[in-house]
Amino acid sequence: MKNIYIKTEHGHMIIYADQFFPCSQKRFKKLLSIIKEFSYLNNVQEISEQLTEAITKQLEYLEWRYKTKKSQKEISVLKKFLEMLESLKV
């Protein structure tokens, strides 16, 4: 998966999607707030598309690989993240 590059006021962040997902909702909301805060430095649409792709791939993997209650919870959390990403799209 691609790394996601986010410019900030004093540098940048690189999100390693393979390692970042699945994550807690709190952590994902923090990432979204950073993206919104520094939207004037970044192509938010591109970042949103990259995150959507990363989450979708993680979802596909979990749905294919696991059928347990734990994975179902992770799947529902990832689907919620996709809904949250819709707020970034213009």
Coordinates of all heavy atoms in Angstrom, one line a residue:
M1 N 0.8 -1.2 0.0 CA 0.0 0.0 0.0 C 0.9 1.2 0.0 O 2.0 1.3 0.6 CB -0.9 0.0 1.3 CG -2.3 0.1 1.0 SD -3.3 0.0 2.5 CE -3.5 -1.7 2.7
K2 N 0.4 2.3 -0.6 CA 1.1 3.6 -0.6 C 1.2 4.2 0.7 O 0.3 4.0 1.6 CB 0.4 4.5 -1.5 CG 0.5 4.3 -3.0 CD -0.2 5.5 -3.7 CE -0.6 5.2 -5.1 NZ -1.3 6.3 -5.7
N3 N 2.2 4.9 1.0 CA 2.3 5.8 2.1 C 1.6 7.1 1.9 O 1.6 7.6 0.7 CB 3.8 6.1 2.5 CG 4.6 4.8 2.8 OD1 4.0 3.9 3.3 ND2 5.8 4.8 2.5
I4 N 1.0 7.7 2.9 CA 0.2 8.9 2.7 C 1.0 10.0 3.3 O 1.4 10.0 4.5 CB -1.2 8.7 3.4 CG1 -1.9 7.5 2.8 CG2 -2.0 10.0 3.3 CD1 -3.1 7.1 3.5
Y5 N 1.3 11.0 2.5 CA 2.2 12.1 2.9 C 1.3 13.3 3.2 O 0.5 13.7 2.4 CB 3.1 12.5 1.7 CG 4.1 13.5 2.0 CD1 5.3 13.2 2.6 CD2 3.9 14.8 1.6 CE1 6.3 14.2 2.8 CE2 4.8 15.9 1.8 CZ 6.0 15.5 2.4 OH 6.9 16.5 2.6
I6 N 1.5 13.9 4.4 CA 0.7 15.0 4.8 C 1.6 16.1 5.3 O 2.4 16.0 6.2 CB -0.3 14.7 6.0 CG1 -1.2 13.5 5.6 CG2 -1.1 15.9 6.5 CD1 -2.0 12.9 6.7
K7 N 1.5 17.3 4.6 CA 2.3 18.5 5.0 C 1.7 19.1 6.2 O 0.5 19.2 6.4 CB 2.4 19.5 3.9 CG 3.1 19.0 2.7 CD 3.1 20.1 1.6 CE 3.5 19.5 0.3 NZ 3.3 20.4 -0.8
T8 N 2.6 19.6 7.2 CA 2.1 20.3 8.3 C 2.9 21.7 8.3 O 3.8 21.9 7.5 CB 2.3 19.6 9.6 OG1 3.7 19.4 9.8 CG2 1.6 18.2 9.6
E9 N 2.5 22.5 9.3 CA 3.1 23.8 9.4 C 4.6 23.8 9.6 O 5.4 24.6 9.1 CB 2.4 24.6 10.5 CG 2.6 26.1 10.4 CD 1.7 26.8 11.3 OE1 0.5 26.9 11.0 OE2 2.2 27.2 12.4
H10 N 5.1 22.8 10.3 CA 6.5 22.7 10.7 C 7.2 21.5 10.1 O 8.2 21.0 10.6 CB 6.6 22.7 12.2 CG 6.1 23.9 12.9 ND1 6.7 25.1 12.8 CD2 5.0 24.1 13.6 CE1 6.0 26.0 13.4 NE2 4.9 25.4 13.9
G11 N 6.6 20.9 9.1 CA 7.2 19.7 8.5 C 6.2 18.9 7.8 O 5.4 19.4 7.0
H12 N 6.2 17.6 8.0 CA 5.3 16.7 7.4 C 5.1 15.4 8.2 O 5.9 15.1 9.1 CB 5.8 16.3 6.0 CG 7.0 15.5 6.0 ND1 8.3 16.1 6.0 CD2 7.2 14.2 5.9 CE1 9.2 15.1 6.0 NE2 8.6 13.9 6.0
M13 N 4.1 14.6 7.8 CA 3.8 13.3 8.4 C 3.8 12.3 7.3 O 3.3 12.6 6.2 CB 2.5 13.3 9.1 CG 2.2 14.2 10.2 SD 0.5 14.2 10.8 CE 0.3 12.5 11.3
I14 N 4.2 11.1 7.6 CA 4.0 10.0 6.6 C 3.2 9.0 7.3 O 3.6 8.5 8.4 CB 5.3 9.5 6.1 CG1 6.1 10.5 5.4 CG2 5.1 8.3 5.2 CD1 7.5 10.1 4.9
I15 N 2.0 8.6 6.8 CA 1.2 7.6 7.4 C 1.5 6.3 6.6 O 1.3 6.2 5.4 CB -0.3 8.0 7.2 CG1 -0.6 9.3 7.9 CG2 -1.2 6.9 7.8 CD1 -0.3 9.4 9.4
Y16 N 2.0 5.3 7.3 CA 2.2 4.0 6.7 C 0.9 3.2 6.9 O 0.7 2.6 7.9 CB 3.4 3.3 7.4 CG 4.7 4.1 7.3 CD1 5.1 4.9 8.3 CD2 5.4 4.0 6.1 CE1 6.3 5.7 8.2 CE2 6.6 4.7 6.0 CZ 7.0 5.6 7.0 OH 8.2 6.3 6.9
A17 N 0.1 3.2 5.8 CA -1.3 2.7 5.9 C -1.3 1.2 6.4 O -2.2 0.9 7.1 CB -1.9 2.8 4.6
D18 N -0.4 0.4 5.9 CA -0.3 -1.0 6.4 C -0.2 -1.1 7.9 O -0.8 -2.0 8.5 CB 0.8 -1.7 5.7 CG 0.6 -1.9 4.2 OD1 -0.5 -1.9 3.8 OD2 1.6 -2.1 3.5
Q19 N 0.5 -0.2 8.5 CA 0.7 -0.3 9.9 C -0.3 0.5 10.7 O -0.6 0.3 11.8 CB 2.1 0.2 10.3 CG 3.2 -0.6 9.7 CD 4.6 0.0 9.8 OE1 4.7 1.1 10.3 NE2 5.6 -0.6 9.2
F20 N -0.9 1.5 10.1 CA -1.9 2.4 10.7 C -3.2 1.8 10.9 O -3.9 1.9 12.0 CB -2.0 3.7 9.9 CG -2.8 4.8 10.6 CD1 -2.2 5.6 11.6 CD2 -4.1 5.0 10.3 CE1 -2.9 6.6 12.3 CE2 -4.9 6.0 11.0 CZ -4.3 6.8 12.0
F21 N -3.7 1.0 9.9 CA -5.0 0.4 10.0 C -4.9 -1.1 10.3 O -4.0 -1.8 9.9 CB -5.7 0.5 8.7 CG -6.1 1.9 8.3 CD1 -5.4 2.6 7.3 CD2 -7.0 2.6 9.0 CE1 -5.7 3.9 7.0 CE2 -7.4 3.9 8.8 CZ -6.7 4.6 7.8
P22 N -5.8 -1.6 11.1 CA -6.9 -1.0 11.8 C -6.4 -0.1 13.0 O -5.4 -0.5 13.6 CB -7.8 -2.1 12.2 CG -7.0 -3.3 12.3 CD -5.8 -3.1 11.4
C23 N -7.1 0.9 13.3 CA -6.7 1.8 14.4 C -8.0 2.1 15.2 O -9.1 1.8 14.7 CB -6.0 3.0 13.9 SG -7.1 4.1 12.9
S24 N -7.8 2.8 16.3 CA -9.0 3.2 17.1 C -9.7 4.4 16.4 O -9.1 5.1 15.6 CB -8.6 3.6 18.5 OG -7.8 4.8 18.4
Q25 N -10.9 4.6 16.8 CA -11.7 5.7 16.2 C -11.1 7.0 16.7 O -11.0 8.0 15.9 CB -13.2 5.6 16.7 CG -14.0 6.6 16.0 CD -15.5 6.3 16.3 OE1 -15.9 5.3 16.8 NE2 -16.3 7.3 15.8
K26 N -10.6 7.0 17.9 CA -9.9 8.2 18.5 C -8.7 8.6 17.6 O -8.5 9.8 17.3 CB -9.5 8.0 19.9 CG -8.9 9.2 20.6 CD -8.6 8.9 22.0 CE -7.9 10.0 22.7 NZ -7.6 9.8 24.1
R27 N -7.9 7.6 17.3 CA -6.7 7.8 16.5 C -7.1 8.3 15.1 O -6.5 9.2 14.5 CB -5.9 6.6 16.4 CG -4.5 6.7 15.9 CD -3.8 5.4 16.0 NE -2.4 5.6 15.5 CZ -1.7 4.6 15.2 NH1 -2.0 3.3 15.4 NH2 -0.5 4.8 14.6
F28 N -8.1 7.8 14.5 CA -8.6 8.2 13.2 C -9.1 9.6 13.2 O -8.8 10.4 12.3 CB -9.6 7.2 12.6 CG -9.9 7.4 11.2 CD1 -9.0 7.1 10.2 CD2 -11.1 7.9 10.8 CE1 -9.3 7.3 8.8 CE2 -11.5 8.2 9.5 CZ -10.5 7.9 8.5
K29 N -9.9 9.9 14.2 CA -10.4 11.3 14.3 C -9.3 12.3 14.4 O -9.3 13.4 13.9 CB -11.4 11.4 15.5 CG -12.7 10.8 15.2 CD -13.6 11.0 16.4 CE -15.0 10.5 16.2 NZ -15.9 10.8 17.4
K30 N -8.2 11.9 15.2 CA -7.1 12.8 15.3 C -6.4 13.0 13.9 O -6.1 14.2 13.6 CB -6.1 12.2 16.3 CG -4.8 13.0 16.4 CD -5.0 14.3 17.1 CE -3.7 15.0 17.4 NZ -3.8 16.3 17.8
L31 N -6.3 12.0 13.1 CA -5.7 12.1 11.8 C -6.6 13.0 10.9 O -6.1 13.9 10.3 CB -5.6 10.7 11.1 CG -5.1 10.7 9.7 CD1 -3.7 11.3 9.6 CD2 -5.2 9.3 9.1
L32 N -7.9 12.8 11.0 CA -8.8 13.7 10.2 C -8.7 15.2 10.7 O -8.7 16.0 9.8 CB -10.3 13.2 10.4 CG -10.7 11.9 9.7 CD1 -12.1 11.7 9.9 CD2 -10.3 12.0 8.2
S33 N -8.5 15.4 11.9 CA -8.4 16.8 12.4 C -7.1 17.4 11.9 O -7.1 18.6 11.6 CB -8.5 16.9 13.9 OG -7.4 16.3 14.6
I34 N -6.1 16.6 11.8 CA -4.8 17.1 11.3 C -4.9 17.4 9.8 O -4.5 18.5 9.3 CB -3.6 16.1 11.5 CG1 -3.3 16.0 13.0 CG2 -2.4 16.4 10.7 CD1 -2.4 14.9 13.4
I35 N -5.6 16.6 9.1 CA -5.8 16.8 7.7 C -6.6 18.1 7.5 O -6.3 18.9 6.6 CB -6.5 15.6 7.0 CG1 -5.6 14.4 7.0 CG2 -7.0 15.9 5.6 CD1 -6.3 13.1 6.7
K36 N -7.7 18.3 8.2 CA -8.5 19.5 8.1 C -7.7 20.7 8.5 O -7.8 21.8 7.9 CB -9.7 19.3 9.0 CG -10.8 18.3 8.4 CD -11.9 18.2 9.4 CE -12.9 17.1 8.9 NZ -14.0 16.9 9.8
E37 N -6.9 20.6 9.6 CA -6.2 21.8 10.1 C -5.2 22.3 9.1 O -5.0 23.5 8.9 CB -5.5 21.4 11.4 CG -4.7 22.5 12.0 CD -4.0 22.1 13.3 OE1 -4.2 21.0 13.8 OE2 -3.1 22.9 13.7
F38 N -4.6 21.4 8.4 CA -3.5 21.7 7.4 C -4.0 21.6 5.9 O -3.2 21.3 5.0 CB -2.2 21.0 7.6 CG -1.7 21.2 9.0 CD1 -1.7 20.3 10.0 CD2 -1.1 22.5 9.3 CE1 -1.2 20.6 11.3 CE2 -0.5 22.7 10.5 CZ -0.6 21.8 11.5
S39 N -5.3 21.7 5.7 CA -5.9 21.5 4.4 C -5.3 22.5 3.4 O -5.3 22.2 2.2 CB -7.4 21.6 4.4 OG -7.8 22.8 4.9
Y40 N -4.9 23.7 3.9 CA -4.4 24.7 3.0 C -3.0 24.3 2.4 O -2.6 24.9 1.5 CB -4.3 26.1 3.7 CG -3.4 26.1 4.9 CD1 -2.1 26.6 4.7 CD2 -3.8 25.7 6.1 CE1 -1.2 26.7 5.8 CE2 -2.9 25.8 7.2 CZ -1.6 26.2 7.0 OH -0.8 26.3 8.1
L41 N -2.4 23.3 3.0 CA -1.1 22.9 2.6 C -1.1 21.6 1.7 O -0.1 21.2 1.2 CB -0.1 22.6 3.8 CG 0.3 23.8 4.6 CD1 1.1 23.4 5.8 CD2 1.1 24.8 3.8
N42 N -2.3 20.9 1.8 CA -2.4 19.6 1.2 C -3.5 19.5 0.2 O -4.5 20.3 0.2 CB -2.7 18.6 2.3 CG -1.5 18.4 3.2 OD1 -0.5 17.9 2.9 ND2 -1.7 19.0 4.4
N43 N -3.5 18.5 -0.7 CA -4.6 18.2 -1.6 C -5.5 17.2 -0.8 O -5.2 16.0 -0.8 CB -4.0 17.5 -2.8 CG -5.1 17.2 -3.8 OD1 -6.3 17.1 -3.5 ND2 -4.7 17.0 -5.1
V44 N -6.5 17.7 -0.1 CA -7.3 16.9 0.7 C -8.0 15.8 0.0 O -8.2 14.7 0.5 CB -8.3 17.8 1.5 CG1 -9.3 17.0 2.3 CG2 -7.6 18.8 2.4
Q45 N -8.4 16.1 -1.2 CA -9.1 15.1 -2.1 C -8.2 13.9 -2.3 O -8.7 12.8 -2.2 CB -9.6 15.8 -3.4 CG -10.4 14.9 -4.3 CD -11.7 14.6 -3.7 OE1 -12.3 15.4 -3.0 NE2 -12.3 13.4 -4.0
E46 N -7.0 14.2 -2.6 CA -6.0 13.1 -2.9 C -5.8 12.3 -1.6 O -5.8 11.0 -1.7 CB -4.7 13.7 -3.4 CG -3.7 12.6 -3.8 CD -2.4 13.2 -4.3 OE1 -2.4 14.3 -4.9 OE2 -1.4 12.6 -4.1
I47 N -5.6 12.9 -0.5 CA -5.4 12.2 0.8 C -6.6 11.4 1.1 O -6.5 10.2 1.5 CB -5.1 13.2 1.9 CG1 -3.7 13.9 1.7 CG2 -5.1 12.5 3.3 CD1 -3.4 15.0 2.6
S48 N -7.8 12.0 0.9 CA -9.0 11.2 1.2 C -9.1 10.0 0.3 O -9.5 8.9 0.8 CB -10.2 12.2 0.9 OG -11.4 11.5 1.1
E49 N -8.8 10.1 -0.9 CA -8.8 9.0 -1.9 C -7.8 7.9 -1.4 O -8.1 6.7 -1.5 CB -8.5 9.4 -3.3 CG -9.7 10.2 -3.9 CD -9.3 10.8 -5.2 OE1 -8.2 10.6 -5.8 OE2 -10.2 11.6 -5.7
Q50 N -6.6 8.3 -1.0 CA -5.6 7.4 -0.5 C -6.1 6.6 0.7 O -5.9 5.4 0.9 CB -4.3 8.1 -0.3 CG -3.6 8.6 -1.5 CD -2.4 9.4 -1.2 OE1 -2.3 10.1 -0.2 NE2 -1.4 9.4 -2.1
L51 N -6.7 7.4 1.7 CA -7.2 6.8 2.9 C -8.3 5.8 2.5 O -8.4 4.7 3.1 CB -7.7 7.8 3.9 CG -6.6 8.6 4.6 CD1 -7.2 9.8 5.3 CD2 -5.8 7.7 5.6
T52 N -9.2 6.2 1.7 CA -10.3 5.4 1.2 C -9.8 4.1 0.6 O -10.3 3.0 1.0 CB -11.3 6.1 0.2 OG1 -11.8 7.3 0.9 CG2 -12.4 5.2 -0.2
E53 N -8.8 4.2 -0.2 CA -8.2 3.0 -0.8 C -7.6 2.1 0.3 O -7.8 0.9 0.2 CB -7.1 3.4 -1.8 CG -6.4 2.3 -2.5 CD -5.3 2.7 -3.5 OE1 -5.4 3.9 -3.9 OE2 -4.5 1.9 -3.7
A54 N -6.9 2.7 1.2 CA -6.2 1.9 2.3 C -7.3 1.2 3.1 O -7.1 0.0 3.4 CB -5.3 2.8 3.1
I55 N -8.3 1.9 3.5 CA -9.4 1.3 4.3 C -10.1 0.2 3.6 O -10.4 -0.9 4.1 CB -10.3 2.4 4.8 CG1 -9.6 3.3 5.8 CG2 -11.6 1.8 5.5 CD1 -10.4 4.6 6.2
T56 N -10.4 0.4 2.3 CA -11.1 -0.6 1.5 C -10.3 -1.8 1.4 O -10.8 -2.9 1.5 CB -11.4 0.0 0.1 OG1 -12.2 1.2 0.3 CG2 -12.1 -1.0 -0.8
K57 N -9.0 -1.7 1.2 CA -8.1 -2.9 1.1 C -8.1 -3.6 2.4 O -8.1 -4.9 2.4 CB -6.7 -2.5 0.6 CG -6.6 -2.1 -0.8 CD -5.2 -1.8 -1.2 CE -5.2 -1.5 -2.7 NZ -3.8 -1.3 -3.2
Q58 N -8.0 -2.9 3.5 CA -8.0 -3.6 4.8 C -9.4 -4.3 5.0 O -9.4 -5.4 5.5 CB -7.8 -2.5 5.9 CG -7.7 -3.1 7.3 CD -6.4 -3.9 7.5 OE1 -5.4 -3.7 6.9 NE2 -6.5 -4.8 8.5
L59 N -10.5 -3.6 4.6 CA -11.8 -4.3 4.7 C -11.9 -5.5 3.9 O -12.4 -6.6 4.4 CB -12.9 -3.3 4.2 CG -13.5 -2.4 5.2 CD1 -14.4 -1.4 4.5 CD2 -14.3 -3.2 6.2
E60 N -11.4 -5.5 2.7 CA -11.4 -6.7 1.8 C -10.7 -7.8 2.4 O -11.1 -9.0 2.4 CB -10.9 -6.3 0.4 CG -11.8 -5.4 -0.4 CD -11.2 -4.9 -1.6 OE1 -10.0 -5.1 -1.9 OE2 -11.9 -4.2 -2.4
Y61 N -9.5 -7.5 3.0 CA -8.7 -8.5 3.6 C -9.4 -9.1 4.8 O -9.4 -10.3 4.9 CB -7.3 -7.9 4.0 CG -6.5 -8.9 4.8 CD1 -5.8 -9.9 4.2 CD2 -6.4 -8.8 6.2 CE1 -5.1 -10.8 4.9 CE2 -5.6 -9.7 6.9 CZ -5.0 -10.7 6.3 OH -4.3 -11.6 7.0
L62 N -9.9 -8.3 5.7 CA -10.6 -8.8 6.9 C -11.8 -9.6 6.5 O -12.0 -10.7 7.1 CB -11.0 -7.7 7.8 CG -9.9 -7.0 8.6 CD1 -10.4 -5.8 9.3 CD2 -9.2 -7.9 9.5
E63 N -12.6 -9.2 5.5 CA -13.8 -9.9 5.1 C -13.4 -11.3 4.5 O -14.1 -12.3 4.7 CB -14.6 -9.1 4.2 CG -15.3 -8.0 4.9 CD -16.0 -7.0 3.9 OE1 -15.7 -7.0 2.7 OE2 -16.9 -6.3 4.4
W64 N -12.3 -11.3 3.8 CA -11.8 -12.5 3.1 C -11.2 -13.5 4.2 O -11.4 -14.7 4.1 CB -10.8 -12.2 2.1 CG -10.1 -13.4 1.5 CD1 -10.6 -14.2 0.6 CD2 -8.8 -13.8 1.9 NE1 -9.6 -15.2 0.3 CE2 -8.5 -15.0 1.1 CE3 -7.8 -13.4 2.7 CZ2 -7.3 -15.7 1.2 CZ3 -6.6 -14.1 2.8 CH2 -6.4 -15.2 2.1
R65 N -10.4 -12.9 5.1 CA -9.6 -13.7 5.9 C -10.3 -14.2 7.2 O -10.0 -15.4 7.6 CB -8.3 -12.9 6.3 CG -7.3 -13.6 7.2 CD -6.5 -14.6 6.4 NE -5.4 -15.1 7.2 CZ -5.2 -16.3 7.5 NH1 -6.1 -17.2 7.1 NH2 -4.2 -16.7 8.2
Y66 N -11.1 -13.4 7.8 CA -11.7 -13.7 9.1 C -13.2 -13.7 9.1 O -13.8 -12.9 8.4 CB -11.2 -12.7 10.1 CG -9.7 -12.7 10.3 CD1 -9.0 -11.6 9.8 CD2 -9.0 -13.7 10.9 CE1 -7.6 -11.6 9.9 CE2 -7.6 -13.7 11.0 CZ -6.9 -12.6 10.5 OH -5.6 -12.5 10.6
K67 N -13.7 -14.6 9.9 CA -15.2 -14.6 10.1 C -15.5 -14.6 11.5 O -16.6 -15.0 12.0 CB -15.8 -15.9 9.4 CG -15.5 -16.0 7.9 CD -16.2 -15.0 7.2 CE -16.0 -15.1 5.7 NZ -16.3 -14.0 4.9
T68 N -14.6 -14.1 12.4 CA -14.8 -14.1 13.8 C -15.6 -12.8 14.3 O -15.6 -11.8 13.5 CB -13.5 -14.1 14.6 OG1 -12.7 -13.0 14.3 CG2 -12.7 -15.4 14.1
K69 N -16.0 -12.8 15.5 CA -16.7 -11.6 16.0 C -15.7 -10.4 16.1 O -16.1 -9.3 15.9 CB -17.3 -11.9 17.4 CG -18.5 -12.7 17.4 CD -19.1 -12.9 18.7 CE -20.3 -13.8 18.7 NZ -20.9 -14.0 20.0
K70 N -14.5 -10.7 16.5 CA -13.5 -9.6 16.6 C -13.3 -8.9 15.2 O -13.2 -7.7 15.1 CB -12.2 -10.2 17.1 CG -11.1 -9.1 17.2 CD -9.8 -9.7 17.7 CE -8.8 -8.5 17.9 NZ -7.6 -8.7 17.3
S71 N -13.2 -9.7 14.2 CA -12.9 -9.1 12.9 C -14.2 -8.4 12.4 O -14.1 -7.4 11.7 CB -12.5 -10.1 11.8 OG -13.5 -11.1 11.6
Q72 N -15.4 -8.8 12.8 CA -16.6 -8.1 12.5 C -16.6 -6.8 13.1 O -17.1 -5.8 12.5 CB -17.8 -9.0 12.9 CG -18.0 -10.2 12.1 CD -18.1 -10.0 10.6 OE1 -18.8 -9.1 10.1 NE2 -17.4 -10.8 9.8
K73 N -16.1 -6.7 14.3 CA -16.0 -5.4 15.0 C -15.1 -4.4 14.2 O -15.4 -3.3 14.0 CB -15.6 -5.5 16.4 CG -15.6 -4.2 17.2 CD -15.2 -4.5 18.6 CE -15.1 -3.1 19.3 NZ -14.6 -3.2 20.7
E74 N -13.9 -5.0 13.8 CA -12.9 -4.2 13.1 C -13.5 -3.8 11.7 O -13.3 -2.6 11.3 CB -11.6 -5.0 12.9 CG -10.8 -5.2 14.1 CD -9.6 -6.0 13.9 OE1 -9.5 -6.7 12.8 OE2 -8.8 -6.1 14.8
I75 N -14.2 -4.6 11.1 CA -14.9 -4.3 9.8 C -15.9 -3.2 10.0 O -15.9 -2.2 9.2 CB -15.5 -5.6 9.2 CG1 -14.5 -6.6 8.7 CG2 -16.5 -5.2 8.1 CD1 -15.0 -7.9 8.4
S76 N -16.7 -3.2 11.0 CA -17.7 -2.2 11.2 C -17.0 -0.8 11.5 O -17.4 0.2 11.1 CB -18.7 -2.5 12.3 OG -18.0 -2.6 13.6
V77 N -15.9 -0.9 12.3 CA -15.1 0.3 12.6 C -14.5 0.9 11.3 O -14.6 2.1 11.0 CB -14.0 0.1 13.6 CG1 -13.0 1.2 13.7 CG2 -14.6 -0.2 15.0
L78 N -14.0 0.1 10.4 CA -13.4 0.6 9.2 C -14.5 1.2 8.3 O -14.3 2.2 7.6 CB -12.7 -0.6 8.4 CG -11.3 -1.0 9.1 CD1 -10.8 -2.2 8.4 CD2 -10.3 0.1 9.0
K79 N -15.7 0.6 8.3 CA -16.8 1.1 7.5 C -17.2 2.5 8.0 O -17.5 3.4 7.2 CB -18.0 0.1 7.5 CG -17.7 -1.1 6.6 CD -18.9 -2.0 6.6 CE -18.6 -3.2 5.7 NZ -19.7 -4.2 5.7
K80 N -17.1 2.6 9.3 CA -17.4 3.9 9.9 C -16.4 5.0 9.5 O -16.7 6.1 9.2 CB -17.5 3.8 11.4 CG -17.9 5.1 12.1 CD -18.3 4.9 13.5 CE -18.8 6.2 14.1 NZ -20.0 6.1 14.9
F81 N -15.1 4.6 9.4 CA -14.1 5.5 9.0 C -14.3 5.9 7.5 O -14.1 7.1 7.2 CB -12.7 4.8 9.0 CG -12.2 4.5 10.4 CD1 -11.1 3.7 10.6 CD2 -12.8 5.0 11.5 CE1 -10.6 3.4 11.8 CE2 -12.3 4.7 12.8 CZ -11.2 3.9 12.9
L82 N -14.8 5.0 6.7 CA -15.1 5.4 5.3 C -16.2 6.5 5.3 O -16.2 7.4 4.5 CB -15.6 4.2 4.5 CG -14.5 3.2 4.1 CD1 -15.1 2.0 3.4 CD2 -13.5 3.9 3.1
E83 N -17.2 6.3 6.2 CA -18.3 7.3 6.3 C -17.7 8.7 6.7 O -18.1 9.7 6.2 CB -19.4 6.9 7.2 CG -20.2 5.7 6.8 CD -21.1 5.1 7.8 OE1 -21.2 5.8 8.9 OE2 -21.6 4.0 7.6
M84 N -16.8 8.6 7.7 CA -16.2 9.8 8.2 C -15.4 10.6 7.1 O -15.3 11.8 7.1 CB -15.3 9.5 9.4 CG -16.1 9.1 10.6 SD -15.1 8.3 11.9 CE -14.2 9.8 12.5
L85 N -14.7 9.8 6.2 CA -14.0 10.4 5.1 C -14.8 11.2 4.2 O -14.3 12.1 3.5 CB -13.2 9.3 4.4 CG -11.9 8.8 5.0 CD1 -11.3 7.6 4.2 CD2 -10.9 10.0 5.0
E86 N -16.1 10.8 4.1 CA -17.0 11.5 3.2 C -17.1 13.0 3.6 O -17.3 13.8 2.7 CB -18.4 10.9 3.2 CG -18.4 9.5 2.5 CD -18.1 9.6 1.1 OE1 -18.5 10.5 0.4 OE2 -17.3 8.7 0.6
S87 N -16.9 13.3 4.8 CA -16.9 14.7 5.3 C -15.8 15.5 4.7 O -15.9 16.7 4.6 CB -16.9 14.8 6.8 OG -15.7 14.4 7.3
L88 N -14.7 14.9 4.3 CA -13.5 15.6 3.7 C -13.7 15.9 2.3 O -13.2 16.9 1.8 CB -12.3 14.7 3.9 CG -11.6 14.6 5.2 CD1 -10.4 13.7 5.1 CD2 -11.3 15.9 5.8
K89 N -14.5 15.1 1.6 CA -14.7 15.3 0.2 C -15.6 16.5 -0.1 O -16.6 16.8 0.6 CB -15.4 14.0 -0.4 CG -14.4 12.8 -0.3 CD -15.0 11.6 -0.9 CE -14.0 10.5 -0.8 NZ -14.6 9.2 -1.3
V90 N -15.2 17.2 -1.1 CA -15.9 18.5 -1.5 C -16.8 18.2 -2.7 O -16.6 17.4 -3.5 CB -14.9 19.6 -1.8 CG1 -15.6 20.8 -2.2 CG2 -14.0 19.8 -0.6

